[in-house]
Amino acid sequence: MHIARPAARLSAFLACMLIAVIPEGAEATSYQLTHSELAAESVVVLAEWVDGEPPRTVIDKRPGCDDVVEESVGRATFRIVRTREGASDVAVGQEIAYPRHVDAKKGDRFLLVRDTIDDPRVPYWSASGRLSDAGFDYIAKLPALDEPAARRLEYFVRFLEFNDPQVAADAFTEFERASYADIVAITDKLPRHKLRKWVAAMDPRKDRQLELYGALLGLCGDASDAELLRKRIVDEPRASDKADFRVGIGGMMDGYLLLAGEKGLAVLEREFLSNRHVHLSETYAAMQAVHFMWEHGGGKIGKERLRESMRLLLDHPDLVDFAIAYLTRWKDWSVRDHVLKLYGAAEFDIPPVKRAIIRYFLLCARDVSADAKTNPPHVAEAKRRLEDFRRRDPQLVADVERLLDLE
């Protein structure tokens, strides 16, 4: 589920929170093509492993040969057992000579992919991993890329946590890349009872899926699901060190607030936003949940109530620049005095925080409607504060102004 996150500094463990868990056996890449994308641009077939040779290295030890090394990457032979409808230049029973070793036994089935731009006379195939017949059924019936996003998601939702790992990972990726609005459009198709089961069983320390499933449960669940999410968020042992933070906690908080509203917000305030004894990753996740409700809550929690929650982080040294950035975007000019006191204060005297404060007052000073005859009080005050900043840190103010004008 794609939700915009702020472009601001992240400490190392927060960056780790945003790394997706790669399914076992899959290779990590900067962008993993989904099966839909592969099928649209490539020829895909289901093929069984027939035979092959492993890699080998031969060292020639004869006198005068200087240890000449002969290397081979091995080979494999596959036989096509199924093709997609419309594949004209491949056929069931056709053998494919694969120029590398594939660790398999006779009869093991794989998804083979060939780019459509390849010359059919000299095709280049790549093995995309083991795949079951049920998995190929999934690929054979994939909706086209140009179909409405909501209609495509209706197909993929049936394969979340599917028993073929390749299929489950692919369906999950389609949801992670979907917009929130498109997911909301299929709320009545979400499998509430399955989501509840997954949320209850998964380990938030390693199961990244909880980030998605917690939010989905918030869309389709009820009061009992809110209580389940609360227990998982609050009652379970929390992250105690940097190697053991809960990667799925954010989505569960999103879902919890969707279901529990202001009552749930009070819980997050007490347990995370006001509590300096919890792991920073947990406080960060709670802050993001407040932002989520501002953007996607549909009025479930009032705007002013959300501002109150974000203000709790104005004294948090590690998250204050995030909080100021959000309050700036939300035009909360009521905290001008509080924000001003942070400028140059001991725990906050670092460039990222100073830049956030300057940006706050710059935008406050520009908050004038086109038909206004006089400046509102907050605008006049902001302009006075900016003059003081220019005397104290002229280059920093100039840098922030330049970046702001580029936005």
Side-chain angles (χ1 to χ4, degrees):
M1 182 166 58
H2 176 71
I3 298 173
R5 298 299 189 191
R9 66 187 169 92
L10 289 175
S11 55
F13 74 89
L14 290 180
C16 291
M17 285 183 66
L18 306 180
I19 298 175
V21 170
I22 304 298
E24 185 177 354
E27 293 184 359
T29 60
S30 58
Y31 183 89
Q32 191 83 17
L33 289 176
T34 63
H35 287 322
S36 291
E37 292 164 329
L38 284 174
E41 301 293 336
S42 314
V43 173
V44 294
V45 301
L46 185 66
E48 61 182 7
W49 190 90
V50 177
D51 60 31
E53 294 179 356
R56 59 185 172 85
T57 300
V58 178
I59 302 177
D60 193 336
K61 291 291 188 180
R62 291 176 298 174
C65 290
D66 296 326
D67 292 345
V68 174
V69 177
E70 178 186 353
E71 294 184 338
S72 165
V73 294
R75 66 165 188 85
T77 301
F78 291 95
R79 182 181 297 115
I80 297 176
V81 295
R82 292 183 64 184
T83 65
R84 289 188 82 209
E85 184 178 347
S88 58
D89 60 342
V90 290
V92 173
Q94 176 182 333
E95 290 196 345
I96 296 172
Y98 196 69
R100 290 180 299 284
H101 172 65
V102 175
D103 187 16
K105 62 181 183 298
K106 192 175 182 64
D108 285 353
R109 296 191 167 188
F110 289 77
L111 177 67
L112 298 189
V113 180
R114 192 197 78 204
D115 287 346
T116 53
I117 61 173
D118 287 341
D119 185 344
R121 295 168 298 178
V122 190
Y124 180 82
W125 292 90
S126 60
S128 187
R130 285 176 168 81
L131 189 70
S132 63
D133 277 274
F136 197 77
D137 286 338
Y138 165 84
I139 293 173
K141 298 173 183 176
L142 282 170
L145 287 174
D146 58 0
E147 284 196 35
R151 189 177 304 168
R152 285 170 47 77
L153 290 174
E154 286 183 28
Y155 180 77
F156 296 121
V157 74
R158 295 153 45 195
F159 296 95
L160 293 173
E161 298 305 302
F162 192 65
N163 56 18
D164 185 307
Q166 262 213 68
V167 171
D170 189 74
F172 180 81
T173 299
E174 292 283 359
F175 266 84
E176 279 215 312
R177 294 179 185 172
S179 72
Y180 182 74
D182 288 332
I183 293 177
V184 169
I186 65 158
T187 296
D188 61 338
K189 301 294 192 304
L190 295 176
R192 175 188 164 240
H193 294 292
K194 289 183 179 179
L195 288 167
R196 181 182 174 86
K197 177 182 177 183
W198 300 334
V199 168
M202 287 182 171
D203 185 346
R205 294 169 299 175
K206 64 180 181 180
D207 289 327
R208 179 69 170 79
Q209 298 97 312
L210 273 173
E211 182 78 15
L212 173 67
Y213 297 158
L216 295 184
L217 186 59
L219 284 173
C220 64
D222 60 17
S224 66
D225 300 314
E227 179 59 15
L228 168 65
L229 289 167
R230 189 201 64 77
K231 288 180 178 178
R232 297 237 61 189
I233 294 165
V234 176
D235 292 350
E236 294 181 4
R238 295 172 180 162
S240 56
D241 59 65
K242 64 182 180 180
D244 199 33
F245 56 78
R246 298 188 287 177
V247 295
I249 194 72
M252 290 196 290
M253 288 181 175
D254 293 346
Y256 178 54
L257 291 184
L258 284 172
L259 293 172
E262 289 196 19
K263 179 181 177 182
L265 184 60
V267 172
L268 295 192
E269 287 176 335
R270 181 183 69 249
E271 299 292 335
F272 302 99
L273 296 174
S274 299
N275 186 355
R276 295 295 184 267
H277 300 292
V278 296
H279 195 271
L280 181 56
S281 65
E282 313 256 304
T283 308
Y284 177 83
M287 178 186 71
Q288 290 295 336
V290 173
H291 169 235
F292 172 85
M293 292 302 293
W294 180 280
E295 296 290 333
H296 306 291
K300 179 86 176 183
I301 301 176
K303 298 290 190 181
E304 183 56 27
R305 185 67 185 85
L306 293 171
R307 289 189 183 100
E308 289 176 11
S309 292
M310 194 61 68
R311 290 170 194 154
L312 295 174
L313 296 174
L314 285 175
D315 294 317
H316 197 303
D318 294 303
L319 297 175
V320 61
D321 50 337
F322 287 86
I324 294 173
Y326 281 130
L327 293 171
T328 303
R329 187 183 309 173
W330 300 348
K331 295 188 175 184
D332 185 357
W333 312 131
S334 68
V335 291
R336 299 189 304 278
D337 290 343
H338 193 142
V339 172
L340 181 63
K341 290 177 183 177
L342 301 177
Y343 198 88
E347 288 187 290
F348 308 98
D349 192 16
I350 57 175
V353 175
K354 284 186 169 183
R355 283 194 293 267
I357 294 171
I358 291 170
R359 189 175 185 276
Y360 175 91
F361 280 98
L362 279 169
L363 287 173
C364 181
R366 299 181 185 185
D367 185 38
V368 182
S369 61
D371 58 351
K373 295 181 179 179
T374 59
N375 288 336
H378 65 268
V379 171
E381 181 186 340
K383 289 181 177 180
R384 290 195 302 271
R385 300 305 182 191
L386 285 168
E387 290 307 312
D388 183 49
F389 293 148
R390 286 190 178 94
R391 286 191 294 270
R392 297 168 64 180
D393 291 302
Q395 187 58 54
L396 194 59
V397 175
D399 291 344
V400 176
E401 283 182 310
R402 184 176 63 254
L403 291 173
L404 188 58
D405 290 336
L406 291 175
E407 291 181 3

